[in-house]
Amino acid sequence: MTTILRPFYRAVWADPGRRSRKLLQFAQVEADGGRDLVRAAELTSDPVLRRRFHAHARDEARHATLFRARGLALRSEHFVADADILDADWIAPGERGLDDLRVEDEDMVSLLAFIHLSESAAARDFALYRDVLDHDPLTRAVFDCILRDEEFHMRYSLSELERAAPGRTRRLLWKARFRRLWKAYLRLAMAFAGVMAGMVLTIQYFVLLLPFALLAKRAARRERPGWIVIEPKHENLRGQY
Amino acid sequence: MRILGISAHYHDSAAALLIDGVPVAAVQEERLSRRKNDAAFPLSAIEWCLDHAGLEPEQLDCVVFYERPALKFDRIVTTLLRSFPHSRRAYTKAMKNMLGEKLWVKGMISSELGVPGSKILFTEHHQSHAAAAFIAAPCERAAILTADGVGEWSTLTVGEGMKRSDGSVTIKLLRELRFPHSLGLFYSSFTAYLGFAVNEGEYKVMGLAAYGNPSRLDDVRKLISRTDDGAFALDLSYFDFHGSVESSYSKRFVELFGPPRSPYEPIDLETGEGQRFADIAASAQRVLEDVLVDLARDLQRETGLADLCLGGGVALNGVANARLLAESGFDRIFVPPAPGDAGCALGAALYADRIHFGQPHCAVPDHPFWGPTIDAGTLARLAKEDSLPNETIEDDRKLDMLAGELADGRVIGWMEGALEFGPRALGNRSILAAPHDAAMRDRLNRDIKYREEFRPFAPVVLREHADRFFLLPAGGPRLARFMSAVFPVRPEWRHRLAAVTHVDGTARVQVLDETMAPRLRKLIEAYGHRTGMPVLLNTSFNLAGEPIVNGAAEGYSTFRRSGIDLLVAGNVCVRKKHQSQQTQLEDVA
């Protein structure tokens, strides 16, 4: 699968503008993931885990800085504008933070399982991106550096999971995999529903709204800018209108 | 009566609880969810308010939402129809947004809290702002001016409020300006153009303006004209917020001012491009001030009143507030600690209590400390678990020791009592430092707050010494109570207050009297005894992109991730180990 996708990744990462934008997006995601880890550190009652999460959050903040610095350098080297460039996020996603996790709603073992899987996925993706960046050694070096951390994060999250839930690690990891899958399905379903709703609303907009739009425009032409006197009225706080 | 006020769904949602006419709890959702400017339905905030008062939802007499969702929906649909067919994408987005959640507030409150629909009330957005500004202010009769982006239809209102001796309260809004003619959206369009986040980066525009010359005034004035009746109107050909989801300004705006700043590019004021952005910020700021001053002056002439209560997000503009005090003719101006939408939760509850139910007025305590209280024991436990040096010390000795640390250039994370309601840290969740050197400002921006170097820090000064260091007009101390205005630092002190003096010689000073934040006051006194200057640098206790800390755990994690040297909660003081030891501790964990 990786071999088949390699040409796509190569194409995605070839354009310096897109490369810059993706790195800047990754920076944002790493920073958000770092905040989630800080929140986890604030919520845990286990001092060892707290220190681990803080160290991990510090790494995420450093990754954000690395991605951002390289993204900005590419922008200025290649005079990248903020014009719309196809980002191809569905082909080359970033770390996705902790998958929109609400940290305060999770128990710590589920969170550790989630972190482990999330870091594994990120490490896999980043390794692929690094491999297609022969033409850009500086960006490649950024991925190299971050990959080393991701591997450490995978190891610590797994060992902490084993410590926190001895004998239940495999089951918890499978549970987390299913939850990731479920979330991916929900994302897909939401996106599909969004497209469908967009189509229905667009049809409604052009078919149904035209006469009302003409009336609204006519009314707007009659309105004079400036103060509007607020007439005294009987207050009814029960109405929403 | 037990009244719960709620604001939600646009930015900065919040809940506030009123019992027998007095606030007992108010908190922004972001402080509990830890998501900056959290706009979600404020369930955590509501739960905290009710828990704090020991109430169940069914014991509430009513729940008041801060605006009328159906009227807002009416404005959105009408505006989109007027922009037909340009508004196609905005229409689909707005419909999904409104029909998905925001239109069904009554059902949401009812299902989340289990209160019957008959107990749910709705005030108008600008009524909530007006009530938050006037009812909570310590004055009997005042003119009222509210201004923000937009509520339902109103973007700006003027009126008058009165508290009579029989306890009755009236708020009469006389006139309004309607969407799309909005001072808030005018300023927000410049915020977006200058590469800052709307509803968040307006402070930055104000800070940046001080570095520029208002050389683009004529251009900015093309965007906003004065009407014959003394109001104003935007030239909508320069804006796009009324019909687009992508941008709040139009191509014509860009043709006039040049390419917008990318949010990714740092502002370098040494370059021509950086100076261009600063000049545009200065010009937009000046025009906003001019319009506000004119409107307020007209209102003063019309009402003949000495006091003005300001509400709405525009009231967070401290430079404009100072000009209003100097030039509008009002003797005193009152800005609540939370003039924005979060404060509407409290405003809506006050409006329902005093106006709808006609409850007799009782004075609202004049402070912003309505949130959760700090637990010093939690900090002691966390520090002990991480083997960080911490000590529990008596008040007098502690304050003297801390004053010495500050004088030696250390930075202190300071947590006391109840959390502030509103965007400013006013003495209970603050980062404190010596205000003397510019190096301290740079250190705070670089190592602690991680934010743009052009942004200034604020001083806090004891009231009895305020005039010695700052040029405060009559009415200035009142406006500076909640850091609501920017005043000049006296020229002879600017070099000794370099960390808190902005490039234009001003500071957004907090004037601390004896009734507010007594421990901070004692600390400043102790610092004054040591240094001869009872002034400290006071900035909010948070890192860039995060809400102000709430509990000890958040303060502790912020302390660990930044260059803060000491953390204080109540009588517990935690000192940071040497950085290498700190890192080692985390690495071997």
Side-chain angles (χ1 to χ4, degrees):
Chain A
M1 187 69 175
T2 306
T3 316
I4 298 168
L5 287 175
R6 192 177 296 264
F8 290 104
Y9 289 127
R10 204 174 286 284
V12 167
W13 287 93
D15 178 74
R18 189 184 295 125
R19 204 152 68 236
S20 160
R21 285 162 63 97
K22 292 196 77 64
L23 292 175
L24 291 169
Q25 283 173 2
F26 288 2
Q28 190 57 51
V29 173
E30 294 280 332
D32 290 344
R35 286 195 198 103
D36 284 338
L37 287 157
V38 166
R39 189 67 188 138
E42 289 165 359
L43 292 172
T44 183
S45 55
D46 181 336
V48 175
L49 213 46
R50 183 165 57 244
R51 289 196 281 272
R52 291 287 202 194
F53 286 148
H54 270 304
H56 189 166
R58 203 180 58 218
D59 286 345
E60 299 287 302
R62 191 162 47 80
H63 298 171
T65 308
L66 285 169
F67 276 135
R68 185 179 164 81
R70 184 62 197 140
L72 288 176
L74 280 168
R75 271 179 68 89
S76 55
E77 281 167 26
H78 298 277
F79 304 104
V80 177
D82 281 333
D84 281 335
I85 299 171
L86 188 62
D87 285 325
D89 286 338
W90 68 97
I91 301 177
E95 192 174 336
R96 289 204 199 91
L98 296 180
D99 286 318
D100 301 327
L101 207 60
R102 291 189 79 90
V103 175
E104 50 276 13
D105 297 339
E106 296 291 324
D107 60 65
M108 279 301 146
V109 288
S110 305
L111 184 63
L112 282 165
F114 238 93
I115 290 172
H116 178 72
L117 294 181
S118 185
E119 295 294 318
S120 307
R124 193 172 54 240
D125 291 341
F126 288 168
L128 289 169
Y129 306 156
R130 178 197 57 186
D131 292 347
V132 297
L133 282 165
D134 306 332
H135 57 288
D136 183 353
L138 290 176
T139 306
R140 190 185 162 99
V142 168
F143 277 114
D144 261 331
C145 173
I146 290 172
L147 260 171
R148 282 194 290 277
D149 287 341
E150 304 291 24
E151 283 158 14
F152 170 70
H153 297 155
M154 283 164 59
R155 282 202 304 278
Y156 100 79
S157 50
L158 190 61
S159 67
E160 286 300 323
L161 184 60
E162 282 163 355
R163 181 174 71 86
R168 290 196 293 143
T169 309
R170 279 171 61 87
R171 191 154 55 88
L172 286 163
L173 285 173
W174 274 110
K175 193 175 154 194
R177 277 188 195 103
F178 282 124
R179 284 186 62 193
R180 276 171 66 91
L181 205 62
W182 175 244
K183 286 195 171 207
Y185 162 74
L186 286 181
R187 273 199 295 267
L188 191 71
M190 290 284 283
F192 181 69
V195 171
M196 294 299 290
M199 283 168 60
V200 171
L201 287 166
T202 303
I203 293 167
Q204 184 193 56
Y205 182 81
F206 285 111
V207 174
L208 291 182
L209 296 194
L210 180 60
F212 299 103
L214 294 173
L215 289 172
K217 281 170 187 275
R218 200 174 69 174
R221 278 196 293 275
R222 285 204 298 262
E223 273 181 14
R224 285 177 39 230
W227 288 116
I228 293 171
V229 174
I230 301 172
E231 300 295 341
K233 58 188 173 191
H234 178 66
E235 286 292 345
N236 173 19
L237 299 194
R238 301 203 183 275
Q240 297 191 53
Y241 197 86
Chain B
M1 292 196 79
R2 296 154 173 168
I3 301 174
L4 180 73
I6 296 173
S7 71
H9 288 158
Y10 290 90
H11 50 90
D12 220 7
S13 60
L17 182 63
L18 211 65
I19 297 183
D20 296 332
V22 180
V24 294
V27 66
Q28 287 141 275
E29 183 72 2
E30 64 159 25
R31 307 287 161 89
L32 305 172
S33 71
R34 310 307 301 156
R35 287 176 180 78
K36 181 92 168 160
N37 298 330
D38 196 340
F41 186 76
L43 205 51
S44 303
I46 292 168
E47 281 174 0
W48 180 79
C49 287
L50 294 177
D51 283 351
H52 181 70
L55 291 179
E56 294 297 326
E58 55 267 27
Q59 293 176 277
L60 292 168
D61 292 297
C62 76
V63 179
V64 196
F65 193 69
Y66 80 122
E67 64 181 13
R68 296 182 188 256
L71 196 54
K72 189 159 205 156
F73 185 63
D74 171 77
R75 187 257 300 165
I76 290 169
V77 171
T78 306
T79 306
L80 293 169
L81 288 173
R82 286 175 181 182
S83 310
F84 187 94
H86 179 56
S87 56
R88 180 185 67 79
R89 292 177 69 180
Y91 175 79
T92 53
K93 189 173 179 186
M95 288 304 110
K96 284 188 223 171
N97 206 348
M98 288 299 293
L99 298 175
E101 185 178 49
K102 293 178 181 175
L103 196 53
W104 319 113
V105 169
K106 193 169 191 171
M108 186 183 291
I109 293 173
S110 193
S111 65
E112 293 283 3
L113 301 186
V115 294
S118 58
K119 282 189 177 181
I120 300 169
L121 306 179
F122 298 88
T123 53
E124 285 180 19
H125 189 104
H126 279 259
Q127 282 176 336
S128 303
H129 278 313
F134 173 67
I135 297 177
C139 61
E140 305 303 314
R141 198 169 172 208
I144 300 170
L145 194 159
T146 67
D148 66 0
V150 60
E152 295 91 354
W153 274 102
S154 303
T155 64
L156 188 147
T157 63
V158 293
E160 201 177 322
M162 190 186 295
K163 296 164 193 160
R164 295 188 186 81
S165 54
D166 63 1
S168 63
V169 176
T170 52
I171 290 178
K172 189 179 177 192
L173 296 181
L174 304 166
R175 296 186 299 280
E176 65 182 0
L177 289 171
R178 287 191 175 180
F179 185 86
H181 304 290
S182 161
L183 268 187
L185 292 174
F186 161 83
Y187 203 74
S188 291
S189 297
F190 280 96
T191 305
Y193 173 82
L194 292 168
F196 304 120
V198 170
N199 290 330
E200 169 64 21
E202 281 76 6
Y203 299 105
K204 299 181 187 179
V205 177
M206 198 179 78
L208 182 62
Y211 287 89
N213 298 311
S215 56
R216 307 294 298 273
L217 274 179
D218 289 342
D219 287 335
V220 175
R221 285 185 181 133
K222 288 178 184 165
L223 276 58
I224 185 167
S225 58
R226 308 309 303 276
T227 54
D228 296 340
D229 58 0
F232 65 86
L234 299 184
D235 182 339
L236 295 175
S237 66
Y238 289 101
F239 298 94
D240 227 356
F241 56 74
H242 51 295
S244 164
V245 286
E246 286 88 16
S247 177
S248 50
Y249 51 86
S250 69
K251 280 182 185 164
R252 198 167 174 217
F253 188 108
V254 176
E255 284 164 12
L256 184 63
F257 292 107
R261 185 179 82 87
S262 162
Y264 293 120
E265 295 290 352
I267 291 180
D268 182 355
L269 292 160
E270 302 297 315
T271 65
E273 195 67 347
Q275 198 55 49
R276 178 172 74 89
F277 292 129
D279 290 348
I280 291 170
S283 306
Q285 172 68 28
R286 176 69 67 81
V287 170
L288 175 94
E289 291 168 24
D290 290 346
V291 174
L292 272 175
V293 167
D294 282 351
L295 294 174
R297 203 182 279 140
D298 289 348
L299 183 62
Q300 202 283 327
R301 284 197 203 109
E302 181 182 346
T303 61
L305 294 169
D307 292 342
L308 172 68
C309 292
L310 268 182
V314 174
L316 286 165
N317 194 309
V319 178
N321 292 348
R323 266 197 71 190
L324 282 173
L325 183 62
E327 299 177 32
S328 67
F330 287 105
D331 296 337
R332 296 193 303 172
I333 295 181
F334 297 91
V335 178
D341 280 4
C344 283
L346 183 58
L350 286 167
Y351 191 93
D353 185 75
R354 306 294 202 276
I355 313 281
H356 181 71
F357 292 112
Q359 295 294 306
H361 179 69
C362 50
V364 175
D366 195 17
H367 65 73
F369 306 119
W370 300 115
T373 305
I374 199 73
D375 175 15
T378 303
L379 176 61
R381 177 180 59 78
L382 291 169
K384 192 177 169 195
E385 284 172 356
D386 285 350
S387 310
L388 286 182
N390 73 94
E391 49 188 330
T392 304
I393 37 183
E394 291 308 311
D395 216 30
D396 290 345
R397 199 167 70 79
K398 177 186 86 171
L399 295 176
D400 196 48
M401 180 270 286
L402 293 176
E405 298 282 359
L406 287 165
D408 289 343
R410 309 251 203 282
V411 177
I412 294 179
W414 175 263
M415 296 187 285
E416 273 289 332
L419 174 69
E420 293 93 341
F421 183 53
R424 313 262 195 249
L426 295 168
N428 280 8
R429 299 292 186 277
S430 291
I431 294 174
L432 303 174
H436 314 297
D437 298 326
M440 177 58 82
R441 179 197 61 211
D442 296 341
R443 184 187 156 201
L444 283 166
N445 271 330
R446 188 187 60 239
D447 300 337
I448 294 170
K449 299 283 280 190
Y450 307 120
R451 62 183 209 180
E452 297 89 344
E453 62 186 31
F454 64 82
R455 294 178 63 188
F457 288 103
V460 52
V461 64
L462 301 182
R463 177 160 188 167
E464 57 272 31
H465 297 287
D467 282 324
R468 195 174 135 210
F469 300 103
F470 303 95
L471 282 159
L472 297 176
R478 172 65 223 184
L479 201 45
R481 182 179 177 84
F482 302 136
M483 265 190 199
S484 303
V486 172
F487 295 112
V489 180
R490 286 189 183 275
E492 64 271 28
W493 288 105
R494 286 179 190 169
H495 70 290
R496 293 292 326 273
L497 292 170
V500 292
T501 304
H502 202 23
V503 65
D504 59 355
T506 62
R508 198 185 66 202
V509 59
Q510 180 190 3
V511 173
L512 197 64
D513 68 21
E514 53 280 0
T515 60
M516 239 177 77
R519 268 189 164 171
L520 176 62
R521 199 183 147 77
K522 283 184 185 171
L523 176 63
I524 299 172
E525 279 170 358
Y527 185 78
H529 288 143
R530 276 180 181 263
T531 63
M533 293 179 69
V535 186
L536 284 176
L537 180 154
N538 173 17
T539 185
S540 55
F541 194 168
N542 63 333
L543 304 184
E546 296 180 11
I548 293 176
V549 302
N550 170 22
E554 290 117 38
Y556 180 70
S557 90
T558 305
F559 164 70
R560 288 193 54 155
R561 290 179 290 134
S562 64
I564 298 172
D565 301 299
L566 287 97
L567 179 61
V568 178
N571 280 343
V572 174
C573 176
V574 179
R575 198 174 289 270
K576 195 169 276 175
K577 283 184 178 177
H578 189 268
Q579 191 60 42
S580 62
Q581 287 173 290
Q582 181 83 12
T583 309
Q584 204 176 19
L585 182 75
E586 286 169 357
D587 288 347
V588 299

